[in-house]
Amino acid sequence: MFFILASKRKNIRTNYDWLNLSRNPKSKEMMTLLLPFQPNHIHKPPLVLYRRLRKPYRLPVISAAVSGKQLILPGKVRAVEPKEAKAVVASEGYMLLDVRPVWEREKACVKGSLHVPLFVEDTDNGPITLLKKWIHLGYIGLWTGQRFTMFNDEFNLRVVEAVPDKESKVLVVCGEGLRSLMAVSKLYGEGYKSLGWLTGGFNRVTEGDFPEIEGTEELRFATIGGASYYLLKLLVLLQSLGQKNS
C-alpha cells in the first residue's frame, strides 16, 4: 500500500514538474524535443534569429566604383572636364590611358594614347558561359553591340609595364566614365598617386577637345553599337536635315 501511494505521489510530482517546465518559456524547445510524437500536435522548429554580418559583402564592381568616387571627391584623384583635356595632356604632361575594350578603340581613339583594356572578351565556350552569352545577347548585345566580357586580370601588370614610374601623371579615360572610375581605383591601390579621371568619358567629348583622332567614327559615338548605333545615325541624319530646312 505504501509502495502504491509513493509511486502515485512520484507520478504526481512528475506531472507537476512537466507543468512547471511548460510554464518556463526557455524550456519550450526542450519540451518539443522530449515529448513523444503526437498525431494532432504540430511541432514547430525553433526560430533562428538573424545575425548581422561583421563585414558586409560588397560586389567587386560596385566597390570599385564607390572607391573611385571616394578618391575623386576629396581631390586625391583629379577630375578633368573634356574641355580641359587637351591642355592637361599638352601642357601639364598627363599621359592618356584608354581602358576601353579593343572593339571600341578600333572605331575611334586619341592618337598617341596608351591602351590597356580593363575588360576583355570572355572566350570561354563552356555550357554555362554559353548560356550567359545567349542571355547577354538577348538583353544587351543586340541593342548596344557590347560583347560578353570579363575583368582583365593582367590590367595592373600591363599598366606597370608601360608606366613603371608611379609618380607619372596618368589621365584615365573610357566611353562613359564608369570603367575609368574602376580603373582609377585599381591604379591608386597599385601606388599611382598622380591620377586624373575624364568626367563622363569620351561620350561628352566634342570636336577639338583632343588634337588628333584616329578611326572611322566620332570619338563620342565609339561606345555605341548594335541596333542603337543605327538608331543614332538615323537621329543624326534627321537632325541635319532639319537644320538644312530651317
Side-chain angles (χ1 to χ4, degrees):
M1 187 70 175
F2 176 76
F3 174 77
I4 296 175
L5 290 175
S7 60
K8 287 184 178 180
R9 289 178 183 177
K10 183 177 181 181
N11 291 335
I12 292 173
R13 285 200 302 270
T14 304
N15 292 335
Y16 277 115
D17 290 340
W18 278 106
L19 182 61
N20 293 332
L21 184 64
S22 64
R23 290 176 181 176
N24 188 355
K26 295 183 181 180
S27 304
K28 289 183 178 180
E29 294 181 7
M30 182 164 54
M31 286 182 63
T32 304
L33 297 175
L34 294 177
L35 285 173
F37 176 74
Q38 301 176 14
N40 298 326
H41 180 73
I42 300 176
H43 295 272
K44 296 182 179 180
L47 297 177
V48 179
L49 297 179
Y50 172 76
R51 295 182 180 180
R52 299 180 62 181
L53 298 176
R54 294 181 180 179
K55 294 183 179 179
Y57 174 77
R58 297 178 180 178
L59 294 175
V61 173
I62 297 176
S63 63
V66 171
S67 299
K69 185 180 292 185
Q70 290 174 350
L71 293 172
I72 290 171
L73 291 177
K76 294 180 180 179
V77 172
R78 179 178 176 181
V80 179
E81 290 292 331
K83 294 293 183 183
E84 306 171 348
K86 184 177 181 179
V88 165
V89 173
S91 304
E92 301 185 31
Y94 272 84
M95 179 186 301
L96 195 65
L97 173 60
D98 188 348
V99 300
R100 296 176 301 164
V102 176
W103 53 90
E104 290 185 23
R105 183 175 171 85
E106 289 175 347
K107 295 179 183 178
C109 65
V110 178
K111 185 177 180 179
S113 60
L114 174 65
H115 179 232
V116 181
L118 182 64
F119 290 92
V120 294
E121 186 174 6
D122 191 344
T123 58
D124 179 32
N125 290 322
I128 297 179
T129 305
L130 288 176
L131 177 61
K132 292 180 180 179
K133 288 181 179 180
W134 179 254
I135 297 173
H136 174 271
L137 179 65
Y139 281 92
I140 301 175
L142 290 176
W143 177 250
T144 66
Q146 289 294 331
R147 306 178 190 181
F148 190 75
T149 59
M150 57 184 289
F151 271 106
N152 183 6
D153 295 333
E154 298 182 347
F155 175 76
N156 286 23
L157 177 62
R158 299 308 175 196
V159 174
V160 171
E161 289 178 351
V163 191
D165 184 9
K166 296 185 178 181
E167 297 297 327
S168 302
K169 297 180 179 180
V170 181
L171 177 60
V172 187
V173 299
C174 69
E176 299 175 345
L178 181 60
R179 290 169 294 185
S180 55
L181 200 62
M182 300 177 197
V184 161
S185 174
K186 293 175 72 68
L187 294 177
Y188 190 88
E190 189 67 35
Y192 291 90
K193 304 303 180 184
S194 299
L195 295 172
W197 172 66
L198 187 69
T199 58
F202 285 139
N203 284 10
R204 294 184 56 201
V205 170
T206 58
E207 188 176 355
D209 288 345
F210 289 97
E212 296 184 55
I213 307 298
E214 296 178 334
T216 58
E217 294 290 339
E218 291 186 43
L219 194 58
R220 58 179 177 154
F221 296 150
T223 305
I224 303 173
S228 58
Y229 171 79
Y230 297 100
L231 179 60
L232 174 65
K233 287 295 184 181
L234 178 61
L235 294 175
V236 172
L237 177 61
L238 294 175
Q239 184 178 9
S240 61
L241 291 176
Q243 291 176 352
K244 290 180 180 179
N245 293 333
S246 60

